[in-house]
Amino acid sequence: MLRYYITDRHAAGGAEALLRSIAHALEDGIERVQIREKDIPARELCRLVRRVLALPNPHGTEILVNSRADVALACGAHGVHLPGSSIPPKTLRSITPPGFLIGVSAHSLAELRAAEAEGADFAVFGPVFETPSKAANGPPQGLDRLREAVRAVAIPVLALGGITRRNAAECLAAGAAGMAGISFFRGTH
């Protein structure tokens, strides 16, 4: 199971608390961390990403930056995570080094298929379950739609939205390559 921790420094209790949470995630071997701090300027985001990249990373956790390929590249992050309406991944490939990961958020089968066709390495699909943080993305997709999404593309699909320890196994049984989330990983370290 691929574990994809999405950061939120406000929910974590501030930048220093977030860095402690990320350090625990790296220690625990979580496979990917997405730095998703949308409300800070590029310079401050760059400082945060560099601080994360300087943390001990004994399991080789991959660090991605939300939306900002420029910041990810400037800091030496492992990749970027794009909203579905962003620049196509294949356009970024011409300026990214080999192995640079590009993930895409998808909230429909059409967006998921587009992400794959445009060269995304993986997609985060949801919301699968009810969650206030994803209410703007429409009603929950549910496990049947997740199952359909996983079968619709060859790239790995991670479940997002309302994922808990109790329902994570159902997402895996539906074919998800793993779990993505903020609260799913908060407080587990």
PDB file of all heavy atoms in Angstrom, residues 25-55:
ATOM      1  N   ALA A  25       6.799  10.978   9.845  1.00  0.00           N
ATOM      2  CA  ALA A  25       6.364  10.249   8.645  1.00  0.00           C
ATOM      3  C   ALA A  25       7.565   9.662   7.910  1.00  0.00           C
ATOM      4  O   ALA A  25       7.529   8.514   7.449  1.00  0.00           O
ATOM      5  CB  ALA A  25       5.563  11.171   7.727  1.00  0.00           C
ATOM      6  N   LEU A  26       8.644  10.440   7.810  1.00  0.00           N
ATOM      7  CA  LEU A  26       9.855   9.956   7.143  1.00  0.00           C
ATOM      8  C   LEU A  26      10.462   8.795   7.919  1.00  0.00           C
ATOM      9  O   LEU A  26      10.900   7.800   7.339  1.00  0.00           O
ATOM     10  CB  LEU A  26      10.876  11.092   7.002  1.00  0.00           C
ATOM     11  CG  LEU A  26      10.455  12.300   6.160  1.00  0.00           C
ATOM     12  CD1 LEU A  26      11.544  13.368   6.174  1.00  0.00           C
ATOM     13  CD2 LEU A  26      10.090  11.912   4.755  1.00  0.00           C
ATOM     14  N   GLU A  27      10.473   8.926   9.229  1.00  0.00           N
ATOM     15  CA  GLU A  27      10.994   7.865  10.100  1.00  0.00           C
ATOM     16  C   GLU A  27      10.163   6.587   9.946  1.00  0.00           C
ATOM     17  O   GLU A  27      10.697   5.481   9.963  1.00  0.00           O
ATOM     18  CB  GLU A  27      10.960   8.363  11.545  1.00  0.00           C
ATOM     19  CG  GLU A  27      11.595   7.454  12.547  1.00  0.00           C
ATOM     20  CD  GLU A  27      11.531   8.086  13.936  1.00  0.00           C
ATOM     21  OE1 GLU A  27      12.104   9.170  14.115  1.00  0.00           O
ATOM     22  OE2 GLU A  27      10.886   7.480  14.820  1.00  0.00           O
ATOM     23  N   ASP A  28       8.847   6.761   9.808  1.00  0.00           N
ATOM     24  CA  ASP A  28       7.947   5.611   9.666  1.00  0.00           C
ATOM     25  C   ASP A  28       7.961   5.002   8.265  1.00  0.00           C
ATOM     26  O   ASP A  28       7.339   3.976   8.031  1.00  0.00           O
ATOM     27  CB  ASP A  28       6.507   6.017   9.998  1.00  0.00           C
ATOM     28  CG  ASP A  28       6.308   6.284  11.485  1.00  0.00           C
ATOM     29  OD1 ASP A  28       7.204   5.938  12.289  1.00  0.00           O
ATOM     30  OD2 ASP A  28       5.254   6.842  11.831  1.00  0.00           O
ATOM     31  N   GLY A  29       8.629   5.672   7.326  1.00  0.00           N
ATOM     32  CA  GLY A  29       8.731   5.113   5.984  1.00  0.00           C
ATOM     33  C   GLY A  29       7.530   5.358   5.085  1.00  0.00           C
ATOM     34  O   GLY A  29       7.323   4.631   4.116  1.00  0.00           O
ATOM     35  N   ILE A  30       6.725   6.382   5.400  1.00  0.00           N
ATOM     36  CA  ILE A  30       5.621   6.730   4.493  1.00  0.00           C
ATOM     37  C   ILE A  30       6.242   7.010   3.135  1.00  0.00           C
ATOM     38  O   ILE A  30       7.265   7.689   3.034  1.00  0.00           O
ATOM     39  CB  ILE A  30       4.814   7.917   5.057  1.00  0.00           C
ATOM     40  CG1 ILE A  30       3.956   7.387   6.219  1.00  0.00           C
ATOM     41  CG2 ILE A  30       3.961   8.578   3.977  1.00  0.00           C
ATOM     42  CD1 ILE A  30       3.103   8.415   6.901  1.00  0.00           C
ATOM     43  N   GLU A  31       5.652   6.486   2.083  1.00  0.00           N
ATOM     44  CA  GLU A  31       6.285   6.501   0.767  1.00  0.00           C
ATOM     45  C   GLU A  31       6.368   7.885   0.124  1.00  0.00           C
ATOM     46  O   GLU A  31       7.348   8.198  -0.563  1.00  0.00           O
ATOM     47  CB  GLU A  31       5.561   5.527  -0.173  1.00  0.00           C
ATOM     48  CG  GLU A  31       5.779   4.076   0.179  1.00  0.00           C
ATOM     49  CD  GLU A  31       4.936   3.581   1.365  1.00  0.00           C
ATOM     50  OE1 GLU A  31       3.977   4.273   1.790  1.00  0.00           O
ATOM     51  OE2 GLU A  31       5.242   2.492   1.877  1.00  0.00           O
ATOM     52  N   ARG A  32       5.337   8.710   0.299  1.00  0.00           N
ATOM     53  CA  ARG A  32       5.335  10.034  -0.323  1.00  0.00           C
ATOM     54  C   ARG A  32       4.714  11.066   0.606  1.00  0.00           C
ATOM     55  O   ARG A  32       3.754  10.781   1.311  1.00  0.00           O
ATOM     56  CB  ARG A  32       4.555  10.027  -1.640  1.00  0.00           C
ATOM     57  CG  ARG A  32       5.240   9.206  -2.711  1.00  0.00           C
ATOM     58  CD  ARG A  32       4.531   9.303  -4.039  1.00  0.00           C
ATOM     59  NE  ARG A  32       5.195   8.398  -4.981  1.00  0.00           N
ATOM     60  CZ  ARG A  32       4.589   7.781  -5.963  1.00  0.00           C
ATOM     61  NH1 ARG A  32       3.306   7.980  -6.197  1.00  0.00           N
ATOM     62  NH2 ARG A  32       5.267   6.972  -6.772  1.00  0.00           N
ATOM     63  N   VAL A  33       5.283  12.269   0.558  1.00  0.00           N
ATOM     64  CA  VAL A  33       4.739  13.408   1.287  1.00  0.00           C
ATOM     65  C   VAL A  33       4.523  14.527   0.271  1.00  0.00           C
ATOM     66  O   VAL A  33       5.448  14.881  -0.465  1.00  0.00           O
ATOM     67  CB  VAL A  33       5.687  13.888   2.406  1.00  0.00           C
ATOM     68  CG1 VAL A  33       5.151  15.164   3.053  1.00  0.00           C
ATOM     69  CG2 VAL A  33       5.894  12.793   3.449  1.00  0.00           C
ATOM     70  N   GLN A  34       3.312  15.048   0.243  1.00  0.00           N
ATOM     71  CA  GLN A  34       2.984  16.187  -0.620  1.00  0.00           C
ATOM     72  C   GLN A  34       2.937  17.448   0.241  1.00  0.00           C
ATOM     73  O   GLN A  34       2.103  17.563   1.129  1.00  0.00           O
ATOM     74  CB  GLN A  34       1.639  15.977  -1.305  1.00  0.00           C
ATOM     75  CG  GLN A  34       1.203  17.153  -2.157  1.00  0.00           C
ATOM     76  CD  GLN A  34      -0.230  17.023  -2.630  1.00  0.00           C
ATOM     77  OE1 GLN A  34      -0.798  15.937  -2.685  1.00  0.00           O
ATOM     78  NE2 GLN A  34      -0.832  18.144  -2.967  1.00  0.00           N
ATOM     79  N   ILE A  35       3.829  18.389  -0.030  1.00  0.00           N
ATOM     80  CA  ILE A  35       3.829  19.667   0.671  1.00  0.00           C
ATOM     81  C   ILE A  35       2.730  20.513   0.021  1.00  0.00           C
ATOM     82  O   ILE A  35       2.892  21.016  -1.080  1.00  0.00           O
ATOM     83  CB  ILE A  35       5.200  20.387   0.568  1.00  0.00           C
ATOM     84  CG1 ILE A  35       6.341  19.454   0.987  1.00  0.00           C
ATOM     85  CG2 ILE A  35       5.185  21.682   1.368  1.00  0.00           C
ATOM     86  CD1 ILE A  35       6.283  18.957   2.402  1.00  0.00           C
ATOM     87  N   ARG A  36       1.606  20.623   0.721  1.00  0.00           N
ATOM     88  CA  ARG A  36       0.418  21.280   0.164  1.00  0.00           C
ATOM     89  C   ARG A  36       0.072  22.509   1.005  1.00  0.00           C
ATOM     90  O   ARG A  36      -0.947  22.562   1.667  1.00  0.00           O
ATOM     91  CB  ARG A  36      -0.752  20.292   0.146  1.00  0.00           C
ATOM     92  CG  ARG A  36      -1.995  20.840  -0.530  1.00  0.00           C
ATOM     93  CD  ARG A  36      -3.106  19.805  -0.442  1.00  0.00           C
ATOM     94  NE  ARG A  36      -4.320  20.273  -1.041  1.00  0.00           N
ATOM     95  CZ  ARG A  36      -5.322  20.863  -0.395  1.00  0.00           C
ATOM     96  NH1 ARG A  36      -5.229  21.070   0.913  1.00  0.00           N
ATOM     97  NH2 ARG A  36      -6.389  21.240  -1.027  1.00  0.00           N
ATOM     98  N   GLU A  37       0.929  23.476   0.945  1.00  0.00           N
ATOM     99  CA  GLU A  37       0.744  24.711   1.706  1.00  0.00           C
ATOM    100  C   GLU A  37       0.434  25.825   0.702  1.00  0.00           C
ATOM    101  O   GLU A  37       1.293  26.611   0.339  1.00  0.00           O
ATOM    102  CB  GLU A  37       1.981  25.002   2.556  1.00  0.00           C
ATOM    103  CG  GLU A  37       2.370  23.868   3.491  1.00  0.00           C
ATOM    104  CD  GLU A  37       1.273  23.455   4.459  1.00  0.00           C
ATOM    105  OE1 GLU A  37       0.546  24.328   4.964  1.00  0.00           O
ATOM    106  OE2 GLU A  37       1.128  22.232   4.708  1.00  0.00           O
ATOM    107  N   LYS A  38      -0.811  25.843   0.243  1.00  0.00           N
ATOM    108  CA  LYS A  38      -1.235  26.712  -0.854  1.00  0.00           C
ATOM    109  C   LYS A  38      -1.188  28.203  -0.534  1.00  0.00           C
ATOM    110  O   LYS A  38      -1.130  29.021  -1.431  1.00  0.00           O
ATOM    111  CB  LYS A  38      -2.674  26.378  -1.264  1.00  0.00           C
ATOM    112  CG  LYS A  38      -2.866  24.995  -1.809  1.00  0.00           C
ATOM    113  CD  LYS A  38      -4.335  24.824  -2.154  1.00  0.00           C
ATOM    114  CE  LYS A  38      -4.625  23.501  -2.798  1.00  0.00           C
ATOM    115  NZ  LYS A  38      -6.035  23.415  -3.202  1.00  0.00           N
ATOM    116  N   ASP A  39      -1.239  28.546   0.733  1.00  0.00           N
ATOM    117  CA  ASP A  39      -1.421  29.946   1.108  1.00  0.00           C
ATOM    118  C   ASP A  39      -0.127  30.681   1.453  1.00  0.00           C
ATOM    119  O   ASP A  39      -0.170  31.791   1.974  1.00  0.00           O
ATOM    120  CB  ASP A  39      -2.397  30.046   2.285  1.00  0.00           C
ATOM    121  CG  ASP A  39      -1.873  29.349   3.530  1.00  0.00           C
ATOM    122  OD1 ASP A  39      -1.029  28.438   3.410  1.00  0.00           O
ATOM    123  OD2 ASP A  39      -2.311  29.721   4.631  1.00  0.00           O
ATOM    124  N   ILE A  40       1.017  30.105   1.154  1.00  0.00           N
ATOM    125  CA  ILE A  40       2.262  30.815   1.455  1.00  0.00           C
ATOM    126  C   ILE A  40       2.978  31.198   0.162  1.00  0.00           C
ATOM    127  O   ILE A  40       2.891  30.491  -0.841  1.00  0.00           O
ATOM    128  CB  ILE A  40       3.183  30.015   2.409  1.00  0.00           C
ATOM    129  CG1 ILE A  40       3.583  28.662   1.833  1.00  0.00           C
ATOM    130  CG2 ILE A  40       2.533  29.844   3.756  1.00  0.00           C
ATOM    131  CD1 ILE A  40       4.556  27.895   2.715  1.00  0.00           C
ATOM    132  N   PRO A  41       3.692  32.320   0.178  1.00  0.00           N
ATOM    133  CA  PRO A  41       4.406  32.768  -1.016  1.00  0.00           C
ATOM    134  C   PRO A  41       5.517  31.795  -1.408  1.00  0.00           C
ATOM    135  O   PRO A  41       6.004  31.009  -0.584  1.00  0.00           O
ATOM    136  CB  PRO A  41       4.996  34.118  -0.609  1.00  0.00           C
ATOM    137  CG  PRO A  41       4.437  34.470   0.713  1.00  0.00           C
ATOM    138  CD  PRO A  41       3.814  33.241   1.297  1.00  0.00           C
ATOM    139  N   ALA A  42       5.934  31.886  -2.660  1.00  0.00           N
ATOM    140  CA  ALA A  42       6.930  30.960  -3.217  1.00  0.00           C
ATOM    141  C   ALA A  42       8.215  30.910  -2.393  1.00  0.00           C
ATOM    142  O   ALA A  42       8.761  29.833  -2.146  1.00  0.00           O
ATOM    143  CB  ALA A  42       7.239  31.320  -4.663  1.00  0.00           C
ATOM    144  N   ARG A  43       8.707  32.052  -1.966  1.00  0.00           N
ATOM    145  CA  ARG A  43       9.966  32.094  -1.205  1.00  0.00           C
ATOM    146  C   ARG A  43       9.841  31.319   0.110  1.00  0.00           C
ATOM    147  O   ARG A  43      10.711  30.526   0.473  1.00  0.00           O
ATOM    148  CB  ARG A  43      10.358  33.536  -0.933  1.00  0.00           C
ATOM    149  CG  ARG A  43      11.711  33.686  -0.279  1.00  0.00           C
ATOM    150  CD  ARG A  43      12.051  35.146  -0.054  1.00  0.00           C
ATOM    151  NE  ARG A  43      12.073  35.885  -1.306  1.00  0.00           N
ATOM    152  CZ  ARG A  43      13.169  36.270  -1.937  1.00  0.00           C
ATOM    153  NH1 ARG A  43      14.339  35.995  -1.419  1.00  0.00           N
ATOM    154  NH2 ARG A  43      13.100  36.939  -3.070  1.00  0.00           N
ATOM    155  N   GLU A  44       8.735  31.519   0.814  1.00  0.00           N
ATOM    156  CA  GLU A  44       8.505  30.811   2.079  1.00  0.00           C
ATOM    157  C   GLU A  44       8.267  29.323   1.833  1.00  0.00           C
ATOM    158  O   GLU A  44       8.752  28.471   2.583  1.00  0.00           O
ATOM    159  CB  GLU A  44       7.308  31.435   2.800  1.00  0.00           C
ATOM    160  CG  GLU A  44       7.122  30.937   4.204  1.00  0.00           C
ATOM    161  CD  GLU A  44       5.955  31.616   4.911  1.00  0.00           C
ATOM    162  OE1 GLU A  44       5.596  32.750   4.562  1.00  0.00           O
ATOM    163  OE2 GLU A  44       5.396  30.974   5.825  1.00  0.00           O
ATOM    164  N   LEU A  45       7.552  28.999   0.756  1.00  0.00           N
ATOM    165  CA  LEU A  45       7.330  27.601   0.390  1.00  0.00           C
ATOM    166  C   LEU A  45       8.659  26.919   0.088  1.00  0.00           C
ATOM    167  O   LEU A  45       8.904  25.786   0.519  1.00  0.00           O
ATOM    168  CB  LEU A  45       6.381  27.502  -0.806  1.00  0.00           C
ATOM    169  CG  LEU A  45       6.079  26.105  -1.318  1.00  0.00           C
ATOM    170  CD1 LEU A  45       5.416  25.240  -0.249  1.00  0.00           C
ATOM    171  CD2 LEU A  45       5.189  26.179  -2.563  1.00  0.00           C
ATOM    172  N   CYS A  46       9.507  27.626  -0.611  1.00  0.00           N
ATOM    173  CA  CYS A  46      10.826  27.084  -0.942  1.00  0.00           C
ATOM    174  C   CYS A  46      11.622  26.789   0.331  1.00  0.00           C
ATOM    175  O   CYS A  46      12.241  25.734   0.455  1.00  0.00           O
ATOM    176  CB  CYS A  46      11.570  28.071  -1.843  1.00  0.00           C
ATOM    177  SG  CYS A  46      13.015  27.376  -2.630  1.00  0.00           S
ATOM    178  N   ARG A  47      11.582  27.707   1.288  1.00  0.00           N
ATOM    179  CA  ARG A  47      12.276  27.479   2.578  1.00  0.00           C
ATOM    180  C   ARG A  47      11.735  26.244   3.275  1.00  0.00           C
ATOM    181  O   ARG A  47      12.487  25.426   3.804  1.00  0.00           O
ATOM    182  CB  ARG A  47      12.129  28.699   3.486  1.00  0.00           C
ATOM    183  CG  ARG A  47      13.193  29.750   3.297  1.00  0.00           C
ATOM    184  CD  ARG A  47      13.228  30.757   4.449  1.00  0.00           C
ATOM    185  NE  ARG A  47      11.980  31.470   4.613  1.00  0.00           N
ATOM    186  CZ  ARG A  47      11.679  32.616   4.011  1.00  0.00           C
ATOM    187  NH1 ARG A  47      12.535  33.178   3.196  1.00  0.00           N
ATOM    188  NH2 ARG A  47      10.519  33.203   4.233  1.00  0.00           N
ATOM    189  N   LEU A  48      10.394  26.102   3.270  1.00  0.00           N
ATOM    190  CA  LEU A  48       9.771  24.945   3.922  1.00  0.00           C
ATOM    191  C   LEU A  48      10.183  23.651   3.225  1.00  0.00           C
ATOM    192  O   LEU A  48      10.562  22.675   3.884  1.00  0.00           O
ATOM    193  CB  LEU A  48       8.247  25.091   3.922  1.00  0.00           C
ATOM    194  CG  LEU A  48       7.467  23.905   4.483  1.00  0.00           C
ATOM    195  CD1 LEU A  48       7.795  23.663   5.958  1.00  0.00           C
ATOM    196  CD2 LEU A  48       5.968  24.128   4.297  1.00  0.00           C
ATOM    197  N   VAL A  49      10.134  23.630   1.911  1.00  0.00           N
ATOM    198  CA  VAL A  49      10.499  22.421   1.162  1.00  0.00           C
ATOM    199  C   VAL A  49      11.963  22.062   1.427  1.00  0.00           C
ATOM    200  O   VAL A  49      12.287  20.889   1.653  1.00  0.00           O
ATOM    201  CB  VAL A  49      10.222  22.594  -0.353  1.00  0.00           C
ATOM    202  CG1 VAL A  49      10.781  21.429  -1.150  1.00  0.00           C
ATOM    203  CG2 VAL A  49       8.721  22.745  -0.607  1.00  0.00           C
ATOM    204  N   ARG A  50      12.828  23.048   1.449  1.00  0.00           N
ATOM    205  CA  ARG A  50      14.246  22.773   1.724  1.00  0.00           C
ATOM    206  C   ARG A  50      14.440  22.221   3.136  1.00  0.00           C
ATOM    207  O   ARG A  50      15.273  21.339   3.348  1.00  0.00           O
ATOM    208  CB  ARG A  50      15.088  24.021   1.502  1.00  0.00           C
ATOM    209  CG  ARG A  50      15.282  24.310   0.029  1.00  0.00           C
ATOM    210  CD  ARG A  50      16.277  25.423  -0.216  1.00  0.00           C
ATOM    211  NE  ARG A  50      16.572  25.490  -1.632  1.00  0.00           N
ATOM    212  CZ  ARG A  50      16.571  26.604  -2.345  1.00  0.00           C
ATOM    213  NH1 ARG A  50      16.302  27.761  -1.766  1.00  0.00           N
ATOM    214  NH2 ARG A  50      16.859  26.566  -3.628  1.00  0.00           N
ATOM    215  N   ARG A  51      13.672  22.740   4.085  1.00  0.00           N
ATOM    216  CA  ARG A  51      13.761  22.215   5.461  1.00  0.00           C
ATOM    217  C   ARG A  51      13.283  20.757   5.501  1.00  0.00           C
ATOM    218  O   ARG A  51      13.886  19.936   6.197  1.00  0.00           O
ATOM    219  CB  ARG A  51      12.951  23.074   6.418  1.00  0.00           C
ATOM    220  CG  ARG A  51      13.602  24.434   6.690  1.00  0.00           C
ATOM    221  CD  ARG A  51      12.854  25.232   7.711  1.00  0.00           C
ATOM    222  NE  ARG A  51      13.029  24.657   9.043  1.00  0.00           N
ATOM    223  CZ  ARG A  51      12.343  25.047  10.105  1.00  0.00           C
ATOM    224  NH1 ARG A  51      11.427  25.996  10.002  1.00  0.00           N
ATOM    225  NH2 ARG A  51      12.549  24.479  11.283  1.00  0.00           N
ATOM    226  N   VAL A  52      12.225  20.450   4.761  1.00  0.00           N
ATOM    227  CA  VAL A  52      11.736  19.072   4.710  1.00  0.00           C
ATOM    228  C   VAL A  52      12.788  18.167   4.066  1.00  0.00           C
ATOM    229  O   VAL A  52      13.082  17.079   4.564  1.00  0.00           O
ATOM    230  CB  VAL A  52      10.391  18.988   3.954  1.00  0.00           C
ATOM    231  CG1 VAL A  52      10.016  17.539   3.669  1.00  0.00           C
ATOM    232  CG2 VAL A  52       9.284  19.686   4.733  1.00  0.00           C
ATOM    233  N   LEU A  53      13.360  18.610   2.959  1.00  0.00           N
ATOM    234  CA  LEU A  53      14.363  17.806   2.265  1.00  0.00           C
ATOM    235  C   LEU A  53      15.630  17.600   3.103  1.00  0.00           C
ATOM    236  O   LEU A  53      16.359  16.635   2.883  1.00  0.00           O
ATOM    237  CB  LEU A  53      14.711  18.438   0.920  1.00  0.00           C
ATOM    238  CG  LEU A  53      13.605  18.361  -0.133  1.00  0.00           C
ATOM    239  CD1 LEU A  53      13.917  19.270  -1.313  1.00  0.00           C
ATOM    240  CD2 LEU A  53      13.382  16.929  -0.589  1.00  0.00           C
ATOM    241  N   ALA A  54      15.880  18.481   4.060  1.00  0.00           N
ATOM    242  CA  ALA A  54      17.058  18.352   4.918  1.00  0.00           C
ATOM    243  C   ALA A  54      16.828  17.400   6.098  1.00  0.00           C
ATOM    244  O   ALA A  54      17.786  17.020   6.779  1.00  0.00           O
ATOM    245  CB  ALA A  54      17.470  19.733   5.448  1.00  0.00           C
ATOM    246  N   LEU A  55      15.578  16.999   6.327  1.00  0.00           N
ATOM    247  CA  LEU A  55      15.286  16.076   7.423  1.00  0.00           C
ATOM    248  C   LEU A  55      15.864  14.694   7.130  1.00  0.00           C
ATOM    249  O   LEU A  55      15.948  14.290   5.962  1.00  0.00           O
ATOM    250  CB  LEU A  55      13.769  15.948   7.616  1.00  0.00           C
ATOM    251  CG  LEU A  55      13.028  17.176   8.123  1.00  0.00           C
ATOM    252  CD1 LEU A  55      11.512  16.960   8.013  1.00  0.00           C
ATOM    253  CD2 LEU A  55      13.423  17.498   9.556  1.00  0.00           C
TER     254      LEU A  55
END
